[in-house]
């Protein structure tokens, strides 16, 4: 997976980093999904140079990214957000203010945790419908109009109709977000039994992929 904290530090901090070229009064908009504590730290680093930081993780999925209509969850000084909003509107479909630094990243991590759960159930239910000889496109229409619908189901289930189930987001990145979410939940004193189960399922898939990469593709078919 991508070490977002390392990449952010390499690009923004240090003598040759972008932050060194920024003038006091400028605004740094950070779209990386990283740990809320790291966002707060970066805010302090930026403030020491007179630069305002807005965290602005993007959400909505790969298809909305291609269309430039993702949602920006924004945290930081509200006045800076208001000043930067016209720019954010250029390349997003919606920009929502979440609160102080760290709040937007927390919401994004929780959103990714929920999406991970929905992806697992979507895959299982698609297989269940297929094995029970339900037409998958009719199944999709029925669920989309029912209480079982979700944004993830609407956007990801149709991938199966094209003979694939690749949502454009790696399992390793899901594991990163699930681990950060579990740590934040523990900090808040919240038990997360469903998240723990989904984390274990994703973790097992990563281990299987590593094993198959080492042993060869035939091992992947054997494991299935």
């Amino acid at each position: 997976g991508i070490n977002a904290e390392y990449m952010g530090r390499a690009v923004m901090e240090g003598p040759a980093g972008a932050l060194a070229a920024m003038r006091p009064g400028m605004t740094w908009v950070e779209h990386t999904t990283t740990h809320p504590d790291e966002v707060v730290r970066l805010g302090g680093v930026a403030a020491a140079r007179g630069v305002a930081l807005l965290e602005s993780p993007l959400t909505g999925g790969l298809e909305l990214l291609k269309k430039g209509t993702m949602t920006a969850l924004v945290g930081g000084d509200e006045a800076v957000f208001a000043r930067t909003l016209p720019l954010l509107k250029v390349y997003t479909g919606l920009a929502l203010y979440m609160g102080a630094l760290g709040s937007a990243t927390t919401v994004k991590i929780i959103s990714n945790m929920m999406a991970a759960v929905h992806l697992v159930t979507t895959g299982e239910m698609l297989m269940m419908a297929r094995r029970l000889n339900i037409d998958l496109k009719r199944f999709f229409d029925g669920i989309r109009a029912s209480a079982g619908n979700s944004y993830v189901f609407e956007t990801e289930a149709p991938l199966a109709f094209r003979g694939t189930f690749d949502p454009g987001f790696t399992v390793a990145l899901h594991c990163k977000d699930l681990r950060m979410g579990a740590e934040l939940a523990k900090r808040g004193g919240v038990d997360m039994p469903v998240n723990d189960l989904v984390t274990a399922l994703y973790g097992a898939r990563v281990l299987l992929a590593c094993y198959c990469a080492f042993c060869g593709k035939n091992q992947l078919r054997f494991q299935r």
Side-chain angles (χ1 to χ4, degrees):
I2 298 173
N3 189 327
E5 292 182 17
Y6 173 79
M7 290 183 65
R9 292 178 185 180
V11 172
M12 296 301 301
E13 299 182 65
L19 188 58
M22 297 182 73
R23 301 184 302 274
M26 296 182 75
T27 300
W28 167 9
V29 181
E30 176 58 63
H31 291 303
T32 303
T33 301
T34 186
H35 197 286
D37 291 349
E38 175 67 4
V39 171
V40 173
R41 186 193 71 80
L42 292 173
V45 172
R49 300 188 62 89
V51 173
L53 173 67
L54 288 180
E55 57 170 336
S56 182
L58 300 172
T59 186
L62 185 60
E63 292 305 312
L64 293 188
L65 175 63
K66 293 176 181 177
K67 297 175 183 177
T69 57
M70 295 189 83
T71 294
L73 304 172
V74 186
D77 185 276
E78 192 166 8
V80 176
F81 165 70
R83 188 170 68 240
T84 312
L85 185 57
L87 172 63
L88 293 172
K89 286 182 176 179
V90 172
Y91 59 93
T92 67
L94 183 65
L96 299 173
Y97 181 70
M98 296 290 106
L101 281 178
S103 58
T105 300
T106 299
V107 174
K108 172 63 185 298
I109 291 171
I110 293 173
S111 173
N112 283 2
M113 293 166 73
M114 296 175 71
V117 174
H118 291 176
L119 278 171
V120 170
T121 57
T122 293
E124 291 179 346
M125 298 311 136
L126 282 168
M127 182 58 70
M128 179 179 177
R130 181 170 182 174
R131 291 289 177 84
L132 295 175
N133 299 316
I134 304 296
D135 180 277
L136 288 185
K137 292 186 178 180
R138 291 174 181 172
F139 171 74
F140 174 75
D141 290 338
I143 296 299
R144 189 171 56 172
S146 73
N149 189 34
S150 71
Y151 176 82
V152 169
F153 179 82
E154 281 202 21
T155 56
E156 308 303 339
L159 294 174
F161 306 150
R162 300 199 293 267
T164 181
F165 192 61
D166 180 5
F169 193 79
T170 69
V171 174
L173 287 176
H174 266 308
C175 288
K176 170 186 72 77
D177 294 336
L178 289 167
R179 286 194 299 269
M180 287 195 296
E183 189 267 315
L184 292 174
K186 183 177 180 180
R187 183 182 300 183
V190 181
D191 291 330
M192 305 284 283
V194 174
N195 182 73
D196 292 344
L197 177 59
V198 171
T199 300
L201 290 172
Y202 276 92
R205 185 63 186 87
V206 170
L207 289 174
L208 176 59
C210 291
Y211 173 80
C212 294
F214 179 77
C215 296
K217 293 182 179 180
N218 287 336
Q219 293 293 335
L220 180 58
R221 289 193 291 269
F222 175 78
Q223 289 294 329
R224 286 176 178 171

